[in-house]
Amino acid sequence: MSLPEDDLTCPICCDIFTDPVLLPCSHSFCRSCVKRCWERGVRDCPVCRKRASKASPHTNLALRNVCEALLQARKNSMLVEETLNCILHGEKLKLFCLVDKQPICVVCQSSKLHKGHDCSPIEEAVLDCKDELALSLKNLQDKMDGLQRIQTTSADMFKFIKNQAQETKTLIESQFKQLHQILYEEESARIAAVKKEEEEKIAGLKDKIKELSAEVLSLAETISIIQEQLEEEDMILLKNFKATQDRERSIPLGSDNLLGLLIDVTKHLCNLKYKVWEKMLDRIDYTPVILDPNTAHPCLILSDDLTSLHYSKQHTGCPDNPERFHMSAEVVGMDALGSGSHHWIVETGSNQDWLLGVASLSVPRNSEVCARPENGFWTLCLRDGEFRAMTSPPTPLTLTRVPKQVKMQLDYNKGTMSFFDPADDTLIYAFTHTFTETLLPYFYTQNSHPLTIMPEKVLITMLRQ
């Protein structure tokens, strides 16, 4: 039970005790008050006049604690009173300004500062503000939970990045080894062709040398005979003239023609790099759409070259990053589709559960939404043996045959997303929409059979000026 305030008042200064001391007679005074009294020369109790010892009086700890608590309570009461009253007008704060978000008094309401502002009673404002703060608290707690989850999985994310980088390096090395092998084989074949032509040219030159040697020998003999005839008597020369002339004319001519004996360097080096690159195109695939593994649901398995996907009940252990689809087995392509025309073909094969098409870049990744145009999806669906265009509501489609491949063609500027059977280029369905957002190739499946993006033939066009 608290003491009456009179029991906490100093008999000398008539105010609450400050640093109270206790005299031997059991009376208490402020230390400064009793000190001033004793400075007059008489060292006795100001109340009962009993003599006090010369020693310094002891502090009354219990009384001091009670007095300090009382003074603190008074201070708090004054602060509360100040918070309940307007600092400008001294009136009680009974209203809450909804514009300036602060409590005001009735005088403030009619002042220029708050005139015309919507206000509500303090009691209602407290409830509304508590509700708003509770919502803010929930949002902050949700954000804190999310940050704590990220913090908890950061070690796994670090390990995954390391593994991801190593696997990517390994795949790069593997593909470059294939390229190196192609170049090595082409280099070997071209060097072998040069070697073969070298052997052929040398063999031809040797044959030519043999012919020249035989011709030189025949010419030497003929020259010798003519020289001898020139030294004979006139009649003998005339008798042998026809035979000598026939011998000279019978010597074959043309052995001195060395045309075409050199290696055809131009044939081997003309546009060599271009021809090798052109030949490599026949052995290297180009795929117009590549899957983005960072968006793939944990139950989707992607091929090493990121052109094929299938469903597996076994999670891949990928991290819970924001780009990833978390609710259903979806993945998008990594190339954004904007202005212009785009097409790609997907081999569905034996897969009987899929959605194919395009999706807006902003579609939610952590919540499940229907694949409808109003949600940013333009897709074709096969499920339970039925084809449907995923309109709102879905449009059933009757096809004469089940296509093994589906060709998707987006004309962004014209606002069409079309699906074809590439076997005979038959139109399956076409969406019409005014696209305003970046689109991405979209894939969904819960089937273990793969969906494969088909490679395309690269055509080379030469520009001549």
Side-chain angles (χ1 to χ4, degrees), residues 235-279:
M235 189 55 67
I236 296 175
L237 183 146
L238 292 174
K239 289 182 178 181
N240 296 329
F241 175 76
K242 184 176 183 307
T244 303
Q245 194 175 43
D246 290 342
R247 180 183 178 90
E248 183 269 332
R249 290 176 178 175
S250 66
I251 297 174
L253 299 177
S255 299
D256 57 344
N257 184 9
L258 301 179
L259 183 65
L261 288 179
L262 297 180
I263 290 177
D264 190 354
V265 176
T266 304
K267 179 183 69 175
H268 298 288
L269 296 180
C270 178
N271 294 319
L272 176 61
K273 295 178 182 178
Y274 172 80
K275 289 181 178 178
V276 172
W277 172 69
E278 187 179 37
K279 195 170 183 179

Side-chain angles (χ1 to χ4, degrees), residues 139-280:
N139 292 336
L140 291 174
Q141 287 175 336
D142 291 342
K143 187 173 182 179
M144 175 65 78
D145 292 341
L147 291 175
Q148 287 176 342
R149 283 196 301 270
I150 294 174
Q151 193 175 34
T152 302
T153 59
S154 60
D156 294 335
M157 182 83 77
F158 179 82
K159 183 178 179 181
F160 185 83
I161 292 173
K162 286 284 190 182
N163 292 337
Q164 197 177 33
Q166 185 57 48
E167 290 175 2
T168 304
K169 291 175 185 176
T170 301
L171 291 173
I172 290 174
E173 291 173 354
S174 174
Q175 295 201 26
F176 268 95
K177 283 181 180 178
Q178 296 176 17
L179 294 174
H180 294 160
Q181 182 63 30
I182 294 174
L183 288 172
Y184 175 76
E185 292 173 358
E186 186 66 21
E187 177 189 10
S188 299
R190 289 182 177 272
I191 290 177
V194 174
K195 183 68 175 176
K196 181 180 179 182
E197 185 175 357
E198 177 190 12
E199 293 172 351
E200 291 174 351
K201 296 294 184 177
I202 289 176
L205 183 58
K206 287 180 178 180
D207 292 340
K208 179 65 69 174
I209 291 173
K210 288 180 180 179
E211 293 177 8
L212 289 173
S213 299
E215 189 173 342
V216 167
L217 182 60
S218 177
L219 283 172
E221 290 177 355
T222 303
I223 290 171
S224 177
I225 292 172
I226 292 175
Q227 288 175 342
E228 290 177 358
Q229 289 298 317
L230 289 173
E231 294 177 357
E232 292 287 349
E233 294 181 359
D234 294 343
M235 189 55 67
I236 296 175
L237 183 146
L238 292 174
K239 289 182 178 181
N240 296 329
F241 175 76
K242 184 176 183 307
T244 303
Q245 194 175 43
D246 290 342
R247 180 183 178 90
E248 183 269 332
R249 290 176 178 175
S250 66
I251 297 174
L253 299 177
S255 299
D256 57 344
N257 184 9
L258 301 179
L259 183 65
L261 288 179
L262 297 180
I263 290 177
D264 190 354
V265 176
T266 304
K267 179 183 69 175
H268 298 288
L269 296 180
C270 178
N271 294 319
L272 176 61
K273 295 178 182 178
Y274 172 80
K275 289 181 178 178
V276 172
W277 172 69
E278 187 179 37
K279 195 170 183 179
M280 287 179 68

Side-chain angles (χ1 to χ4, degrees), residues 297-465:
H297 185 273
C299 286
L300 288 181
I301 307 298
L302 308 187
S303 61
D304 289 342
D305 60 358
L306 305 178
T307 62
S308 178
L309 67 146
H310 70 273
Y311 182 82
S312 172
K313 293 182 179 179
Q314 186 70 32
H315 279 220
T316 58
C318 55
D320 188 21
N321 52 298
E323 305 94 329
R324 194 174 304 282
F325 287 94
H326 304 295
M327 303 304 295
S328 59
E330 303 165 276
V331 64
V332 292
M334 63 184 300
D335 293 325
L337 307 177
S339 177
S341 180
H342 315 269
H343 74 274
W344 60 100
I345 297 174
V346 175
E347 186 174 66
T348 56
S350 302
N351 191 311
Q352 298 293 309
D353 184 8
W354 49 258
L355 275 82
L356 298 172
V358 294
S360 296
L361 181 64
S362 63
V363 295
R365 310 293 175 93
N366 57 357
S367 60
E368 190 168 2
V369 296
C370 295
R372 304 285 192 272
E374 64 268 21
N375 296 327
F377 295 86
W378 294 267
T379 60
L380 184 70
C381 173
L382 172 61
R383 180 168 291 166
D384 300 327
E386 296 182 359
F387 283 93
R388 287 173 290 175
M390 299 305 288
T391 54
S392 297
T395 302
L397 302 174
T398 301
L399 305 182
T400 56
R401 63 182 178 191
V402 177
K404 294 299 182 182
Q405 295 181 341
V406 177
K407 177 182 177 181
M408 280 139 283
Q409 184 163 323
L410 169 68
D411 194 318
Y412 191 95
N413 297 340
K414 292 183 179 179
T416 59
M417 178 61 198
S418 306
F419 299 85
F420 298 87
D421 181 351
D424 53 9
D425 213 28
T426 302
L427 177 65
I428 300 174
Y429 190 83
F431 288 89
T432 302
H433 184 82
T434 301
F435 300 114
T436 57
E437 191 177 345
T438 299
L439 303 178
L440 295 170
Y442 173 82
F443 305 81
Y444 164 90
T445 185
Q446 276 194 290
N447 193 289
S448 59
H449 294 285
L451 298 173
T452 303
I453 305 166
M454 301 303 295
E456 293 187 354
K457 181 70 175 178
V458 179
L459 300 178
I460 302 173
T461 302
M462 299 299 296
L463 297 178
R464 299 186 181 274
Q465 295 181 350

Side-chain angles (χ1 to χ4, degrees), residues 93-97 102-104 120-127:
L93 300 172
K94 294 183 177 181
L95 301 172
F96 185 76
C97 178
Q102 63 180 27
I104 61 174
S120 66
I122 286 291
E123 295 77 9
E124 293 182 8
V126 168
L127 295 177

